[in-house]
Amino acid sequence: MKLRKPVIWFAVAMIMVMVVAGVTMFMEKVNVFAAGTALSDNGWKAHFSEPLAKGAIHDGYVYVTDQNGAKVEVGLELMNDGRTLQVAGLQPGNYALRMEQKAVSSQFKSLKRNKIEFTIYDSIESISSAADLKAYFERAKDMQSVAVSYEAVEEESSAKASMDSAKTSNAVGGGDHSSTNIQVEGVDESDIVKTDGDYVYSIFEGTSVKIVDIRNPKKMKIAAEINPKDDYYPSQLFLHDDLLIVLGEKMQRYPDKTNMMDKIMPMNSLTTVRLYNIAKPEKPVFVRELGVEGYLKSARKTDGMLYLVTNVFPDFWAMEEIEGDALRPRVFDSNEKEKKFMEFGDIAILPGATDPSYSVITAIDLTSPKTSELKTKGFLGSSDQMYMTKDHLYLTALKYETTTNSRSAEIMIWNPGKANTEIFKFTLDGADIEFYRSAELGGTILNQFSMDEYKGNFRVVMTEGNMWDEKNPSKNHLYILNENMKTTGSVKGLAKGERIYSARFMGDKAYMVTFRETDPLFVIDVADPAKPKVLGELKIPGFSNYLHPLDENHLIGFGYDTVARKNPSGGEPLILTQGMKISLFDVTDFHNPKEKFTEIIGGRGTYSPLQYDHKALFQHKQRNLYGFPISIYEEGKKEFDVDYKGSGALVYEITPESGIVLKGDLVNKKASGEQYEDWEKQIQRLLYSGDSLFTLSMNEMKSYKLDSFKEIDTLKMK
């Protein structure tokens, strides 16, 4: 039986329709990721999971319209190999980015959306209503539905202070007793231990604060203990005159409307500040409690003001089931009867923000601890690192490049190897906190020591890319920005294939350590903000996690020794860390830096908290003493095995003339059969008062003579 031609053509047409439909169904979606707001100075950016066509702008497939739908003449530029669209030259107002299908570089890919609305402001605007706030989180929720975040987890190392100069602090331990090792002179940092010379205040097991009388090092005694009875967990301390400031976390309970029972919301803890009068340390008197919702990111104290930065993650996925107020952070003051929500006028959107979270900055005037106003400012958008001077506070936020996940074209993933960093600058005037400017730079920032403010300029070092990406190897940059956060000068492309392990700014010089196989120490002249330049470079084995200034011409580096081993799979050699390494760098000749002295402690597996926490450094300036807690291991009998030797602390005299000389060996050798250190016995901090040295661990406190390091007394903390 023969089919008639119309039937055949109908069958062919149906097959073609099915093929087209099938292709369309399985076409890879190109997602677009962009903030809903931006500042006119910075412009607006849209990030695409796949590159746009090179002629997308010229051919008119991508353009901007105003709120009336009319095309707007603006500056459009494709960056990042076509994955980022920069829009510049817009005046404040409401706009939309429109994209036609031909904007995509491949016919087998399609845009997930062809219109994105956004608003340009002259300065950041406060949220005016619950509807505005909900709209932000609806947009963030929409963005989150097509993005899965993967954090780049890497090893961390971690004249006068005035309005135009934040001098690097080198004054730790300069008086008759220890103080916390800080970055900026005059800006104190919280820690687990503080002392006033007569008493030691320490966090004990994250549940209480113990006050130890050390006036007689031969007979130390616990003078008092602050033991909260509620769900409060102290973590950090400050001292201010006769005030003990305890920072901690307090769990909140919210009503669960689905089963009418209270439940703990772990994502919404309350960072709580408890103030105690310690005019009589043996009888601390509670003064006041203040709290702000979120996790404590960092804290600083300067000129009688306490500043906290917390990150808040509202339960925005349940917006339909909860009241709109639950999207606002809560604040608490024991002077008032109950918690309250932040005012809408105190909430604003950070430029380029897309994250469903807040960075909350809180200011407390400590000169009037009983009555001073608790001031909070909530900024929509996440934050990572913090750097602060007496006049400015800087927060950073990572912005990862997006790519399409091959397993599902509907999902975008972050590419940890390619990220930019948004830097936000805030002005501080007592309790008044105001957003000032922001800038976006290519790369990621390691920690607070990668940032510095000097004579009104902001300096920062960054790593761009992934050090293991052979096609696009990582590279390192230094940027200098003026007071308005505009780049004035830079040095780019240093140490390709390596990443930054530590950095330190000292006046008109910057020092940066990168590493992959060897440790290049770069000396960079930053005296001229428009023309920074590399003066010298030193390559040595190992690397420094933390750089500490000894004087104007010498730096101490704390880190690891390394060794290169043949790679059994071929290719680059395997780089293995060995013992802890102390280096004394001589930078008298900036063009020819030298590693003048070194000290290697233990073997593979040896570590110290100092390698990731600068506050673990003990310093006595008059005696040129530097110390730190340590756990010592040596190589075992089998390859890659390690053998535990002991833990405790080491104290060195470090001078340019004599080098690195061990003065105090406070390491307890391992007991018989002991394979690893006992965390309760591990020393957490060292400090001094007068002629005595003190070490603190979870279960005991010991005193020693500073002259001979002979043990004087032991106080059991349990």
Side-chain angles (χ1 to χ4, degrees), residues 446-621:
L446 179 64
N447 57 29
Q448 67 188 64
F449 291 97
S450 295
M451 299 178 279
D452 180 74
E453 183 185 286
Y454 183 68
K455 294 184 177 179
N457 296 307
F458 178 77
R459 297 98 65 88
V460 61
V461 291
M462 311 176 73
T463 297
E464 181 181 359
N466 190 328
M467 61 187 291
W468 303 113
D469 187 342
E470 295 183 358
K471 293 183 179 179
N472 298 293
S474 60
K475 44 191 175 292
N476 303 282
H477 316 305
L478 177 143
Y479 296 98
I480 301 180
L481 289 73
N482 64 19
E483 61 180 6
N484 292 318
M485 299 300 283
K486 299 297 183 183
T487 302
T488 61
S490 64
V491 178
K492 295 184 178 182
L494 298 175
K496 291 185 178 180
E498 302 181 2
R499 76 165 177 86
I500 295 170
Y501 272 71
S502 59
R504 197 77 191 225
F505 290 88
M506 294 169 57
D508 58 7
K509 298 294 184 295
Y511 302 93
M512 182 178 78
V513 169
T514 62
F515 180 77
R516 182 165 180 171
E517 293 183 19
T518 58
D519 170 3
L521 170 70
F522 290 95
V523 181
I524 307 173
D525 184 354
V526 289
D528 184 348
K531 296 179 180 179
K533 59 183 178 181
V534 175
L535 297 180
E537 178 182 351
L538 170 67
K539 289 191 176 183
I540 52 175
F543 58 86
S544 299
N545 298 102
Y546 173 65
L547 294 174
H548 189 82
L550 180 65
D551 57 35
E552 291 184 357
N553 297 316
H554 296 87
L555 276 171
I556 310 171
F558 298 93
Y560 282 108
D561 188 27
T562 60
V563 63
R565 295 284 174 84
K566 184 178 180 181
N567 189 336
S569 302
E572 293 187 2
L574 297 176
I575 306 300
L576 305 176
T577 57
Q578 298 293 98
M580 181 176 174
K581 181 179 182 181
I582 307 174
S583 299
L584 180 58
F585 297 108
D586 185 342
V587 292
T588 305
D589 181 354
F590 296 126
H591 298 278
N592 186 29
K594 297 177 181 179
E595 186 181 41
K596 193 172 181 180
F597 299 99
T598 63
E599 173 82 355
I600 308 297
I601 307 165
R604 188 181 310 133
T606 299
Y607 70 93
S608 169
L610 176 57
Q611 292 167 312
Y612 56 84
D613 182 1
H614 64 280
K615 299 171 192 174
L617 179 67
F618 162 84
Q619 181 182 0
H620 193 305
K621 286 190 66 176

Side-chain angles (χ1 to χ4, degrees), residues 159-168 184-186 390 454-455:
K160 63 177 183 178
S162 65
M163 291 186 66
D164 64 354
S165 175
K167 181 183 176 183
T168 295
V184 178
E185 186 175 329
K390 287 191 172 187
Y454 183 68
K455 294 184 177 179

Side-chain angles (χ1 to χ4, degrees), residues 3 43 127 244 413 501 555 569 635 699:
L3 293 174
I127 293 292
L244 172 64
I413 65 172
Y501 272 71
L555 276 171
S569 302
E635 290 191 41
N699 64 358

Side-chain angles (χ1 to χ4, degrees), residues 116-242:
I116 294 184
E117 296 179 343
F118 61 96
T119 303
I120 298 294
Y121 296 103
D122 269 335
S123 59
I124 63 172
E125 301 287 329
S126 297
I127 293 292
S128 60
S129 65
D132 286 348
L133 189 60
K134 190 170 184 179
Y136 174 86
F137 280 100
E138 287 286 5
R139 184 185 182 96
K141 183 177 180 181
D142 183 45
M143 292 293 180
Q144 290 283 311
S145 68
V146 295
V148 180
S149 175
Y150 292 87
E151 292 190 5
V153 180
E154 297 203 24
E155 308 154 73
E156 279 209 6
S157 52
S158 182
K160 63 177 183 178
S162 65
M163 291 186 66
D164 64 354
S165 175
K167 181 183 176 183
T168 295
S169 174
N170 193 21
V172 178
D176 198 39
H177 61 80
S178 290
S179 57
T180 302
N181 181 28
I182 58 176
Q183 180 183 11
V184 178
E185 186 175 329
V187 181
D188 195 12
E189 302 181 28
S190 60
D191 197 12
I192 57 175
V193 175
K194 294 284 183 177
T195 184
D196 57 13
D198 293 329
Y199 293 84
V200 171
Y201 307 81
S202 66
I203 301 292
F204 182 70
E205 293 187 336
T207 59
S208 65
V209 179
K210 292 202 174 185
I211 303 174
V212 179
D213 186 343
I214 60 169
R215 289 176 293 180
N216 183 355
K218 297 180 180 179
K219 292 184 178 180
M220 298 181 295
K221 61 181 180 180
I222 297 176
E225 182 172 3
I226 300 172
N227 193 7
K229 302 299 182 183
D230 50 0
D231 291 332
Y232 179 67
Y233 303 95
S235 61
Q236 299 284 304
L237 302 172
F238 281 108
L239 289 177
H240 182 75
D241 297 334
D242 288 336

Side-chain angles (χ1 to χ4, degrees), residues 23 67 75 89 93 97 101 120 171 252 301 323 362 388 392 394 445 465 513 531 545 569 581 593 599 611 646 696:
V23 171
Q67 59 187 358
L97 175 68
Q101 178 56 39
I120 298 294
Q252 292 191 93
K301 181 177 73 74
E323 296 179 4
T362 301
M388 200 184 102
H392 299 113
Y394 297 85
I445 296 173
V513 169
K531 296 179 180 179
N545 298 102
S569 302
K581 181 179 182 181
E599 173 82 355
Q611 292 167 312
L696 287 91

